[in-house]
Amino acid sequence: MTLQDFMPILPEMVLLATAVAVLMVDTFLGDKRWLTWVGLVGVLLAGAATYWLALQPPADFQDMAASDAYTAFFRLVILVVTGLGLLMAMNWLEAHGEQQGEYNALLLLAAIGMTLMAAATHMLTLFVALELFSLCLYILAGFERERASSGEAALKYLLLGAFSSALFLYGIALVYAATGALTFAGIAQKASLSPLFLAGVGLLIVGFGFKVAAVPFHMWTPDVYQGAPTPVTAYMSVATKAAAFAAFVRLFVGTLGVEKSAWVPALAALAVLTMVVGNLAALSQHSLKRMLAYSSIAHAGYVLVGLAAANTTGTAAVLFYLLVYAFMNLGAFAVVIALERQGEGDVTLSQMRGLARTHPLLAAAMAIFMFSLTGVPPFAGFFGKLYLFQAAVQANLTWLAVIGVISSAVSAYYYLNVLVQIYMADPETPPTLAWRPVLGLATLVAVVFVVGIGLFPDFWLQLALGGMRVILG
Amino acid sequence: MEWVFFGLFGVLALVGSVGVVVSRNAVHSALFLLVNFAATALLFLVLGAQFLALAQVLVYAGAIVVLFIFVVMLVGNETVDDFVARERPWLRWAAVGFFLVFIAVAGYSLVMSGWEAAKGLADYGAVERVGAVLYREYLLPFELASVILLAAMIGAIILAARTRPPLGRPEE
């Protein structure tokens, strides 16, 4: 092996080196805030490596992981999310007196697993990458040891996550038994509708369903999202979805695309359940984090619509939506972090009252995120949903698009209710802010992208289509 | 001859794993787990995978079961209080039902579709073979597994061994 052979996984190697560097620098640095900037430099370098790789012809690492336009798209999404995740956590960690070095290192290690999920072209790489980022997130969920609910979140996530990993692994084993192959290319060649193969594919769907929080595999989501430290919830809600859907699309639409008829009905049913249950459950929440947890379940449902469509537009829409969702959901969580009171780990709806009067800028940012999550034009979320539902209509799944539109109309109620509290209610007690410049910077970046993607959706859609062509040929 | 041993050790492994789930006493569960691991190691031997059998005994039967028993002894809560089953007794039957359905589906599909035979390499269970596959063909997953161990180590330190600095800016 020469050095050249390692180039396809260069961004991951940069991230690993950064994580180790963060841990080492941590031991002799007085001001721990610098660790965030060390991590950020690593993320930027990994981004530069990704860009450089995108200019090269596609390559792969020993048939284990591919570096192509599709991988590049998800690498960029995950690196941006990781960068914002580092920034959003910086002030929070400082205020809570938590270990910054370990936090940043774990976030970077999780990012390695996530980008490799998108790159994986072999079942073993896929599984090990899945375990890597899951393990980092289990630890991060329990990071705030002083708060019991954080530990509860970590334990629930660990137990249910381990259970779902076992099912996923069983699925891999059955698919291997049916096809005798572990590489995606080999599986695609031998794919057939034998009962053994179908049982394996079913278990794979269950495993992915757990990770993306699709109903009925969503039970862990509200508790874990509410209990975990808010910066972790923010990262988890967008990055896990992007990584899991990246592998989901490559494996199902790409590899198992020939046997589409076998899994499309199952995914369509999952999509309906996920959209309806997620949106209905979100209606009655008082905790902002819990509401956003159910909302993230609903958004997984929208993405599943694009996956069930299983055509070029549908899967490009999935990529586009995951990018958009990353910015709008991270932004909403940044506002939650800003409003969170020390040691409570959560924000209730009534705490939002009268925010517009005391902090008009923050209120305006929250308004943009809520409008975008609802899908109001001209924000990015509107185009995301538009492309997804369009693809469903093209794939003769009009009924699925109709259910999607109706359930996203329901979602307007709880998103806009937040704005009603912010703009129209009188404050009981003036909202206290943990508002710091770095968190503000992260929020600003999110606002710029939510508005910017909304104004110029074509550029980003073309990028997603470029990634899709790799998958669908 | 092979089938006799397979049947024997297979049944032993099944008895062990059922015992793990059914036992009320956590120590008994751990010991049944040992039976299961040992039987699996013997199954590996039947397959001619000596190295895997050895690793199974060393790592699982040795290290992991000992760890389990240590934890059970330390925590001291040896009998399991099955509070979920007391509140919702139907859950147990639902679990048994799901299990039977799963076994039926997996068994039916195995019988109906058959599976690819293992590649008949003479010494595929030997150390050299395993090493060659692990460090050449599966280099990336192998290295990734070491990253997982790094993350686990950080996690263990963070969750169990850290001392908390006072709130606010750490002294410089």
Side-chain angles (χ1 to χ4, degrees):
Chain A
M1 280 194 101
T2 61
L3 201 59
Q4 193 63 34
D5 295 335
F6 286 92
M7 285 302 134
I9 53 165
L10 185 62
E12 284 76 28
M13 295 201 293
V14 172
L15 284 175
L16 180 59
T18 315
V20 175
V22 165
L23 285 176
M24 305 243 274
V25 172
D26 186 19
T27 55
F28 56 83
L29 202 69
D31 189 346
K32 304 289 186 203
R33 287 175 304 174
W34 282 101
L35 295 172
T36 301
W37 303 114
V38 173
L40 206 62
V41 168
V43 169
L44 288 177
L45 284 177
T50 304
Y51 183 72
W52 178 75
L53 275 176
L55 299 178
Q56 313 292 319
D60 63 88
F61 186 86
Q62 295 184 333
D63 270 343
M64 288 282 168
S67 166
D68 45 35
Y70 182 79
T71 312
F73 185 89
F74 275 106
R75 271 182 180 150
L76 283 182
V77 172
I78 284 156
L79 288 173
V80 168
V81 169
T82 308
L84 287 177
L86 289 171
L87 287 179
M88 280 165 61
M90 178 174 156
N91 295 138
W92 184 92
L93 289 166
E94 197 186 351
H96 287 71
E98 300 286 356
Q99 243 87 337
Q100 307 223 4
E102 285 83 348
Y103 185 96
N104 292 338
L106 283 172
L107 211 64
L108 292 166
L109 292 178
I112 297 175
M114 289 170 173
T115 53
L116 280 173
M117 285 285 283
T121 55
H122 190 284
M123 283 296 197
L124 270 189
T125 319
L126 179 62
F127 183 72
V128 180
L130 180 86
E131 283 301 288
L132 173 57
F133 84 76
S134 301
L135 186 77
C136 294
L137 291 178
Y138 303 149
I139 301 163
L140 286 171
F143 209 80
E144 202 178 346
R145 278 204 317 176
E146 307 292 294
R147 200 158 45 77
S149 56
S150 175
E152 182 195 333
L155 200 62
K156 274 189 181 156
Y157 197 24
L158 171 70
L159 290 177
L160 288 173
F163 185 59
S164 76
S165 291
L167 292 181
F168 192 79
L169 198 58
Y170 215 136
I172 293 177
L174 291 186
V175 168
Y176 180 63
T179 61
L182 282 172
T183 58
F184 287 9
I187 292 170
Q189 262 176 15
K190 293 273 189 70
S192 62
L193 289 180
S194 68
L196 192 62
F197 186 73
L198 289 181
V201 170
L203 286 176
L204 290 178
I205 292 179
V206 174
F208 278 125
F210 261 104
K211 287 297 164 201
V212 303
V215 178
F217 315 112
H218 68 292
M219 291 82 73
W220 56 276
T221 319
D223 290 343
V224 173
Y225 279 22
Q226 191 182 16
T230 315
V232 177
T233 312
Y235 183 70
M236 191 153 75
S237 66
V238 296
T240 313
K241 276 204 173 48
F245 270 117
F248 208 161
V249 169
R250 199 193 273 272
L251 185 58
F252 276 74
V253 181
T255 307
L256 306 176
V258 271
E259 305 294 353
K260 207 183 336 191
S261 57
W263 49 264
V264 161
L267 288 192
L270 270 189
V272 170
L273 272 177
T274 310
M275 287 189 293
V276 171
V277 172
N279 278 321
L280 289 183
L283 287 177
S284 55
Q285 302 304 322
H286 297 289
S287 143
L288 210 55
K289 272 168 90 177
R290 223 175 157 77
M291 185 205 94
L292 285 171
Y294 281 110
S295 122
S296 91
I297 293 174
H299 284 271
Y302 303 141
V303 179
L304 280 171
V305 170
L307 202 54
N311 49 16
T312 319
T313 38
T315 26
V318 168
L319 268 64
F320 182 85
Y321 200 81
L322 289 169
L323 176 77
V324 169
Y325 179 70
F327 288 114
M328 57 195 188
N329 214 42
L330 271 183
F333 271 111
V335 177
V336 177
I337 297 174
L339 285 168
E340 193 184 301
R341 289 184 196 142
Q342 187 80 41
E344 286 188 5
D346 199 359
V347 174
T348 58
L349 268 178
S350 55
Q351 265 171 275
M352 307 284 290
R353 288 183 162 200
L355 185 70
R357 224 161 291 171
T358 46
H359 302 92
L361 276 179
L362 190 64
M366 192 60 168
I368 289 176
F369 299 136
M370 288 296 128
F371 279 132
S372 184
L373 283 167
T374 318
V376 176
F379 299 109
F382 168 73
F383 292 100
K385 278 186 188 161
L386 181 71
Y387 296 146
L388 283 174
F389 296 151
Q390 252 178 2
V393 173
Q394 275 179 20
N396 288 327
L397 292 168
T398 314
W399 60 276
L400 197 56
V402 170
I403 294 177
V405 171
I406 293 174
S407 69
S408 83
V410 171
S411 79
Y413 174 80
Y414 59 85
Y415 289 131
L416 297 185
N417 186 27
V418 174
L419 298 184
V420 169
Q421 302 289 335
I422 291 179
Y423 280 96
M424 295 178 191
D426 287 322
E428 291 165 336
T429 50
T432 44
L433 273 199
W435 193 237
R436 301 249 171 53
V438 181
L439 187 58
L441 178 67
T443 317
L444 185 67
V445 172
V447 168
V448 166
F449 274 93
V450 168
V451 175
I453 299 176
L455 292 180
F456 307 103
D458 275 344
F459 170 75
W460 303 95
L461 188 66
Q462 289 308 320
L463 213 61
L465 276 169
M468 261 348 287
R469 287 200 192 97
V470 176
I471 299 298
L472 286 169
Chain B
M1 195 61 191
E2 212 172 66
W3 285 98
V4 176
F5 282 115
F6 174 77
L8 196 66
F9 300 142
V11 168
L12 200 60
L14 274 181
V15 168
S17 46
V18 170
V20 173
V21 184
V22 174
S23 309
R24 279 299 161 100
N25 188 319
V27 177
H28 294 173
S29 277
L31 292 176
F32 271 117
L33 196 61
L34 188 63
V35 172
N36 174 270
F37 286 157
T40 313
L42 290 170
L43 282 176
F44 280 135
L45 267 188
V46 173
L47 276 173
Q50 311 92 335
F51 178 70
L52 277 185
L54 194 69
Q56 173 84 9
V57 170
L58 277 181
V59 177
Y60 286 94
I64 290 183
V65 172
V66 170
L67 193 69
F68 275 149
I69 293 180
F70 255 121
V71 171
V72 172
M73 299 291 184
L74 277 178
V75 174
N77 200 355
E78 279 162 39
T79 42
V80 179
D81 179 19
D82 198 352
F83 62 94
V84 179
R86 221 185 312 119
E87 282 168 18
R88 278 165 289 200
W90 54 270
L91 264 180
R92 181 172 293 166
W93 296 108
V96 170
F98 269 118
F99 172 73
L100 290 179
V101 168
F102 180 75
I103 290 294
V105 171
Y108 170 79
S109 40
L110 265 176
V111 171
M112 290 312 286
S113 35
W115 55 91
E116 299 265 316
K119 312 261 181 312
L121 291 171
D123 57 342
Y124 75 100
V127 185
E128 305 98 277
R129 277 275 174 203
V130 174
V133 168
L134 208 55
Y135 291 105
R136 286 206 191 114
E137 206 180 324
Y138 290 95
L139 181 65
L140 183 63
F142 180 78
E143 292 295 337
L144 267 185
S146 71
V147 180
I148 293 185
L149 292 183
L150 174 66
M153 206 159 63
I154 301 172
I157 293 169
I158 273 291
L159 295 179
R162 79 178 146 175
T163 48
R164 213 161 189 288
L167 278 182
R169 195 80 58 81
E171 60 275 74
E172 278 156 41

